[in-house]
Amino acid sequence: MSSFDSSWLVPDWPAPAHIQACCTTRLGGVSQAPFASFNLGDHVGDDPLAVAENRHLLSLALPNPPHWLAQTHSTEIKMITTPTANAVFPADASVTRMPEAVCVVMTADCLPLLLTDQQGTVVAAVHAGWRGLCDGIIERAVQAMAVPATTLLAWLGPAIGPKAFEVGAEVRAAFMAQAAEAEQAFTPQQNGKYLADIYQLARQRLQAVGVSHISGGTHCTVTDRERFFSYRRDGQTGRMASCIWISTNLTSA
């Protein structure tokens, strides 16, 4: 196992030993409030020097610098073909078969989704906010991995929980227009709005394309103030990173 910080989440899933993955928390960095302390987002108003130091600390646990994305709640996929990151790509998911190339997404309520196949030949990191999720970011990422969906393993990282994610009727309608079963993920409230279960919505989308091995989906970024950043809770806040790569270092895998 790589030398991950003890506060980070490590997926509990049946991935091959050479597939390495982790999700940072807000703990262990140098940023000051409201970004305290391990903020990895360079677009949220934090001190650039603090972000750079936090990213350096992250890199110590990775084989190469991660391929950061400029996330815009789109369905754009970046195919990574080199292990060394040298640019920021406008996309909301990345896919690679390149050993030691690190896929990464940043979140602070949106759902981070990590994927690999049972043989560990391809990996993906997906940023699934409700817009991207509704528009098909999961389906596009699965397609880009170019392996049978039935061989894929999925891990749902920390996101806004089903008791905290209040949305309007238009969000429910948008999902139901895609799939009637989405209704099961929305609980009506007395104010005319709904509580949405982004974990359930993601599971539905994964299962619809043939992915049945789904792990994770047990955290709430809003209620777990100590461990997680939450945009819904705090407004101005930091970002966590979910990373995945194919390792060639068998002594750490």
Side-chain angles (χ1 to χ4, degrees), residues 85-247:
N86 56 12
V88 175
F89 306 103
D92 282 85
S94 57
V95 176
T96 192
R97 295 176 177 273
M98 177 70 62
E100 312 292 2
V102 182
C103 295
V104 61
V105 290
M106 288 187 291
T107 58
D109 282 338
C110 292
L111 173 65
L113 168 65
L114 301 181
L115 295 161
T116 189
D117 64 322
Q118 293 171 345
Q119 301 303 313
T121 65
V122 60
V123 296
V126 181
H127 166 245
W130 80 259
R131 289 181 181 86
L133 184 59
C134 186
D135 290 343
I137 185 68
I138 286 180
E139 292 87 342
R140 289 206 64 196
V142 168
Q143 182 179 30
M145 296 179 79
V147 294
T150 55
T151 69
L152 289 178
L153 310 171
W155 181 74
L156 308 178
I160 186 169
K163 295 183 179 180
F165 192 20
E166 187 176 74
V167 301
E170 72 282 359
V171 175
R172 175 177 176 268
F175 276 98
M176 289 184 61
Q178 300 287 333
E181 68 174 355
E183 182 180 13
Q184 303 166 9
F186 293 89
T187 303
Q189 303 299 289
Q190 291 184 346
N191 61 1
K193 295 188 175 183
Y194 295 84
L195 289 178
D197 188 339
I198 199 168
Y199 288 131
Q200 185 175 2
L201 290 166
R203 291 188 185 101
Q204 289 175 349
R205 292 299 187 96
L206 286 164
Q207 290 167 350
V209 294
V211 181
S212 60
H213 301 282
I214 306 170
S215 305
T218 60
H219 297 285
C220 178
T221 49
V222 175
T223 57
D224 196 340
R225 182 183 298 270
E226 179 180 352
R227 286 198 294 173
F228 302 125
F229 294 117
S230 169
Y231 181 81
R232 176 68 66 103
R233 183 189 64 226
D234 298 328
Q236 190 175 33
T237 191
R239 297 294 186 272
M240 300 164 295
S242 295
C243 306
I244 188 168
W245 67 96
I246 301 169
S247 177

Side-chain angles (χ1 to χ4, degrees), residues 24-25 31 35 37-52 54-55 58 68-69 71 104-108 229 237-241:
T24 65
T25 66
S31 292
F35 310 104
S37 63
F38 198 48
N39 167 47
L40 296 162
D42 62 357
H43 61 293
V44 296
D46 193 5
D47 179 353
L49 293 178
V51 176
N54 289 338
R55 289 190 173 192
L58 172 65
W68 299 105
L69 303 176
Q71 300 169 186
V104 61
V105 290
M106 288 187 291
T107 58
F229 294 117
T237 191
R239 297 294 186 272
M240 300 164 295

